[in-house]
Amino acid sequence: MTIISKDILKAVALLSDEDIVAIPTETVYGLAGNIYSEKAIKLIFETKKRPFFNPLIVHIPSIDNLSKIVEYIPEKAKLLAEAFWPGPITLVLKKKDTIPDLITAGKDTVAIRVPNHPISLELLKQLPFPLAAPSANPFSSISPTTAEHVETYFKDKIKMVLDGGPCKSGIESTIIGFENNEPIIYRLGSTPIEAIENVVGKIEIKNKKEIQPDAPGMLERHYAPKTKTVLTDNILDTIKLYSKKRIGLLVFNSEFKDDTISIQIVLSKNNDLGEATSNLYEALHQLDKENLDVIIAEKFPDHGLGKSINDRLERATKV
Ligand code: TXA
Ligand code: MG
């Protein structure tokens, strides 16, 4: 049976014993293990059914630990870490030889971040090793934003979910790589691109072109409900295409009135992109349970977190 608990010491004991524990972060729940334990890391890949070519993110308690993991910190990486950690930015940097190849899928770079969640920060401070933690979902399904989502996915395949409540940011961290010391966005995420540009200037987004094994989280279909899902900027016309079907609607800020809609979730009545982001995955989990024929999702404004939401919805709707 999976224990859902706030007991940090129990998580410390399991992780120190080379076991894995689902942990809360501000973005999504992660499935965590000691980066130096081959046993724990293999268990993470097996439990998620994740291919070994897809590297993991290393979680550390503070920026001070960075120089133990990476060979070299470009100036702009330092600026970003200082501006956003703890927080939802992951930096991909040249790894030290001591970082196991299993974590990085054989690449010479490692993805690393300091999560902004009091429970996982406390856990990381108590452990003598960093934690590798991919999102705690089976490969390519919707990421979990509550302890219950994790439990539903893995049942008794994991011993413990460390409960930190619902994740506040709600989608994964923004991943930034470096080419010739210049930052490039590999994955849009919880830190809006404009906030990043305020620190390091104009930045290129490379995630659409990225193919495995460079940033496999950018695989075309990802973050996907089991229910057929479509993305549109014209809800009413799209509804007409599914007139005899059970339709679920996922919209930004206001309800649509149409008799053919079975269920409808408004992500932010306050027209707030942060609130919409934080509700996105919970809404997809909910709609996916409703035995719908189709989920119709509304396209978001193409700026700030709207850009990141569109990225996830585009991947969720790829067939
Ligand atoms: O918010 C998050 O980032 C969450 C929480 C738990 O921290 N973690 C997360 O991990 O989303 P995961 O494994 O689901 O996604 C990590 C992504 C993958 O797309 C992987 O390909 C990419 O990071 N990645 C990891 N190491 C990399 C590297 N060396 N080079 C390029 N991409 C890398
Ligand atoms: Mg993931």
Side-chain angles (χ1 to χ4, degrees):
M1 210 186 74
T2 314
I3 306 163
I4 298 185
S5 151
K6 294 188 191 313
D7 186 351
I8 293 182
L9 290 180
K10 178 153 183 71
V12 168
L14 285 165
L15 290 162
S16 303
D17 195 28
E18 300 189 82
D19 211 330
I20 59 176
V21 172
I23 62 164
T25 81
E26 79 281 34
T27 58
V28 299
Y29 275 73
L31 193 56
N34 175 356
I35 65 163
Y36 300 113
S37 161
E38 192 177 313
K39 182 179 163 200
I41 301 308
K42 283 194 167 152
L43 198 53
I44 291 176
F45 279 98
E46 268 166 36
T47 307
K48 274 183 65 79
K49 297 198 169 31
R50 177 176 177 120
F52 281 103
F53 64 70
N54 196 350
L56 307 179
I57 296 178
V58 171
H59 295 67
I60 52 173
S62 96
I63 192 170
D64 302 336
N65 304 65
L66 184 58
S67 55
K68 286 183 228 152
I69 312 280
V70 307
E71 200 62 56
Y72 169 68
I73 307 171
E75 188 53 34
K76 286 186 178 172
K78 190 156 171 269
L79 288 176
L80 288 167
E82 281 167 353
F84 293 106
W85 283 354
I89 273 204
T90 295
L91 302 174
V92 177
L93 300 170
K94 184 108 176 38
K95 82 176 185 82
K96 276 214 150 79
D97 287 345
T98 47
I99 303 303
D101 286 338
L102 203 51
I103 300 288
T104 64
K107 293 157 83 68
D108 63 355
T109 52
V110 61
I112 186 160
R113 82 181 192 98
V114 180
N116 188 16
H117 191 293
I119 290 182
S120 47
L121 281 175
E122 182 54 36
L123 174 68
L124 286 165
K125 277 184 198 135
Q126 293 202 19
L127 290 167
F129 46 79
L131 291 175
S135 51
N137 50 291
F139 187 60
S140 89
S141 53
I142 311 164
S143 295
T145 52
T146 64
E148 290 71 27
H149 293 161
V150 181
E151 192 201 19
T152 307
Y153 275 142
F154 296 121
K155 302 280 176 339
D156 46 11
K157 288 205 186 73
I158 56 174
K159 295 202 187 86
M160 178 178 185
V161 184
L162 184 59
D163 189 0
C167 303
K168 293 212 167 75
S169 301
I171 63 171
E172 298 80 356
S173 60
T174 303
I175 300 181
I176 301 181
F178 289 82
E179 291 176 16
N180 302 319
N181 292 329
E182 283 302 312
I184 292 177
I185 293 193
Y186 284 170
R187 176 176 77 182
L188 290 164
S190 272
T191 302
I193 180 166
E194 292 85 349
I196 294 164
E197 289 185 330
N198 281 341
V199 177
V200 292
K202 190 88 190 131
I203 187 166
E204 184 192 341
I205 304 174
K206 207 180 163 186
N207 68 354
K208 295 264 156 57
K209 284 175 268 162
E210 218 50 65
I211 47 157
Q212 56 172 294
D214 245 17
M218 295 293 95
L219 293 175
E220 290 242 298
R221 180 175 162 81
H222 210 88
Y223 316 105
K226 293 192 195 71
T227 315
K228 175 188 168 76
T229 305
V230 295
L231 180 63
T232 176
D233 46 21
N234 191 334
I235 291 277
L236 291 174
D237 278 1
T238 309
I239 286 174
K240 285 189 202 123
L241 301 176
Y242 298 93
S243 59
K244 294 207 168 59
K245 305 278 187 193
R246 264 179 69 75
I247 298 174
L249 217 56
L250 182 67
V251 299
F252 178 18
N253 53 25
S254 50
E255 274 194 14
F256 285 78
K257 299 266 179 292
D258 192 298
D259 290 345
T260 58
I261 302 166
S262 300
I263 170 169
Q264 174 160 202
I265 298 181
V266 180
L267 288 173
S268 172
K269 292 208 166 78
N270 305 317
N271 198 31
D272 178 322
L273 286 169
E275 184 181 33
T277 309
S278 119
N279 290 331
L280 178 68
Y281 287 159
E282 169 61 25
L284 284 171
H285 279 283
Q286 266 186 39
L287 290 170
D288 212 15
K289 281 191 286 203
E290 296 288 335
N291 288 319
L292 299 164
D293 295 309
V294 62
I295 298 170
I296 299 176
E298 181 177 33
K299 231 190 182 128
F300 273 66
D302 194 39
H303 60 80
L305 289 170
K307 236 183 171 45
S308 306
I309 293 179
N310 285 337
D311 174 85
R312 295 302 186 272
L313 289 173
E314 276 161 24
R315 286 175 213 288
T317 53
K318 277 267 152 42
V319 282

